């Protein structure tokens, strides 16, 4: 049985003050155009607030969404890790397990979402959507370990997609652990990176996924730093990028 699964991860980077050049009102139409140009089956968003998610839902009538605030299902004031899914593809059976890592850092968050696709019959998979801490490497390592323990508890035959904002590069201790190149508390992950394994890759010239709202317009010093870091990664073909937003997977290609 051959199944095509398209997944997009998109950090909405919470709403900025109205006077900011990066406010949601100034970029929301572009965000929507990017999403609709790819039309993924699964769209995993991070750091979105309710107003942003409501706008996307209005502009994506072919999708439903699933997710809760970091503070729980009764809260609407905090950030969400929300998954949008193409409702025509018949995705059902949801569950979530929300793990805010408040003891380690104030921004760490894990949400496990179990989804079952019933067309074609019998194909099940799990999506794990995450937004790791921006500042603490220790919090990111603990977050990765927590997620891996969950994934390792699943049946080996169940495909898993683990994506979101990891806020670090793949050559970091967090990335190397998840990709099976280093140990964390005696265990090793066995996930694969979708980027080098993809049958078709677009926008190959974009070697990073975070640019501080600057796009390709980087200052000279920032540009030289970027080139230097990219050259430092050339020794490892599987980490030749500066992506901090990843799509990892286990199971069927």
């Amino acid at each position: 049985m051959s199944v095509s699964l398209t997944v997009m991860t998109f950090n909405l980077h919470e709403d900025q003050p109205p006077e900011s050049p990066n406010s949601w009102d100034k970029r929301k139409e572009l965000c929507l155009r990017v999403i609709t140009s790819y039309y993924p089956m699964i769209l995993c968003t991070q750091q979105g607030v309710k107003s942003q998610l409501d706008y996307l839902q209005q502009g994506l009538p072919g999708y439903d969404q699933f997710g809760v605030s970091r503070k729980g299902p009764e809260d609407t004031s905090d950030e969400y890790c929300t998954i949008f899914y193409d409702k025509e593809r018949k995705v059902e059976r949801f569950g979530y397990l929300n793990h805010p890592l408040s003891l380690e850092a104030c921004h760490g968050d894990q949400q496990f979402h179990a989804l079952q696709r019933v067309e074609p019959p019998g194909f099940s998979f799990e999506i794990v959507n995450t937004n790791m801490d921006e500042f603490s490497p220790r919090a990111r390592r603990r977050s990765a370990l927590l997620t891996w323990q969950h994934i390792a508890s699943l049946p080996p035959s169940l495909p898993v997609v683990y994506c979101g904002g990891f806020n670090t590069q793949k050559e970091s201790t967090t990335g190397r652990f998840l990709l099976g190149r280093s140990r964390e508390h005696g265990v090793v992950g066995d996930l694969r990176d979708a980027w080098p394994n993809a049958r078709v890759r677009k926008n190959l010239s974009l070697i990073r996924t975070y640019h501080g709202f600057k796009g390709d317009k980087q200052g000279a010093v920032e540009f030289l730093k970027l080139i230097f870091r990219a050259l430092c990664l050339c020794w490892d073909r599987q980490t030749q990028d500066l992506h901090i937003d990843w799509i990892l997977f286990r199971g069927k290609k």
Side-chain angles (χ1 to χ4, degrees):
M1 178 177 63
S2 177
V3 177
S4 177
L5 178 65
T6 55
V7 180
M8 174 185 285
T9 179
F10 204 129
N11 192 313
L12 300 176
H13 197 70
E14 64 183 308
D15 201 0
Q16 305 291 301
E19 64 275 9
S20 169
N22 305 315
S23 68
W24 179 243
D25 280 340
K26 295 182 177 67
R27 55 189 171 95
K28 62 184 181 181
E29 293 181 0
L30 175 60
C31 289
L32 195 57
R33 287 199 302 271
V34 169
I35 294 168
T36 55
S37 68
Y38 289 97
Y39 194 65
M41 176 181 172
I42 304 292
L43 167 66
C44 294
T45 67
Q46 304 87 36
Q47 285 191 282
V49 295
K50 190 174 185 303
S51 59
Q52 293 173 302
L53 300 172
D54 288 346
Y55 174 83
L56 290 182
Q57 184 65 81
Q58 184 178 6
L60 299 170
Y63 289 77
D64 279 336
Q65 62 173 286
F66 179 76
V68 296
S69 160
R70 291 187 303 174
K71 294 181 179 178
E74 304 300 323
D75 177 75
T76 59
S77 63
D78 209 332
E79 298 173 2
Y80 289 68
C81 269
T82 291
I83 293 178
F84 289 82
Y85 59 95
D86 179 3
K87 57 188 178 183
E88 294 297 323
R89 306 292 182 91
K90 297 183 180 179
V91 177
E92 61 178 29
R93 295 191 186 179
F94 296 96
Y96 74 89
L97 179 60
N98 195 25
H99 284 290
L101 302 177
S102 57
L103 295 180
E104 293 299 324
C106 61
H107 296 102
D109 183 55
Q110 293 287 343
Q111 293 190 1
F112 302 148
H113 299 262
L115 301 87
Q116 179 172 8
R117 182 179 175 186
V118 295
E119 184 185 10
F123 176 66
S124 298
F125 59 94
E126 177 151 317
I127 296 286
V128 182
N129 188 20
T130 188
N131 185 46
M132 289 190 179
D133 185 74
E134 181 179 357
F135 303 105
S136 170
R138 183 169 184 262
R140 289 192 292 269
R141 292 196 304 271
R142 289 176 63 86
S143 181
L145 180 61
L146 172 69
T147 306
W148 173 247
Q149 289 171 338
H150 168 74
I151 293 173
S153 71
L154 300 172
S157 60
L158 180 69
V160 177
V161 178
Y162 180 22
C163 64
F166 291 78
N167 283 311
T168 188
Q169 282 85 44
K170 292 166 198 159
E171 83 280 5
S172 67
T173 52
T174 296
R176 298 186 71 81
F177 161 67
L178 290 171
L179 294 170
R181 299 178 202 146
S182 68
R183 291 182 176 273
E184 187 72 28
H185 290 273
V187 297
V188 182
D190 69 348
L191 298 172
R192 288 179 286 172
D193 181 8
W195 178 244
N197 286 281
R199 295 176 183 174
V200 178
R201 292 193 291 172
K202 300 180 180 180
N203 301 320
L204 288 174
S205 62
L206 300 178
I207 63 171
R208 62 176 173 181
T209 57
Y210 174 76
H211 50 72
F213 294 114
K214 295 180 180 180
D216 294 329
K217 298 178 181 178
Q218 303 291 325
V221 174
E222 289 179 329
F223 180 76
L224 290 174
K225 287 181 179 179
L226 179 64
I227 295 300
F228 176 75
R229 294 183 68 187
L231 290 173
C232 289
L233 298 180
C234 286
W235 64 275
D236 188 338
R237 288 180 175 268
Q238 298 188 63
T239 57
Q240 278 186 314
D241 60 64
L242 299 175
H243 301 167
I244 65 169
D245 304 274
W246 316 337
I247 298 178
L248 309 180
F249 70 97
R250 184 191 77 172
K252 300 176 181 178
K253 290 187 177 180

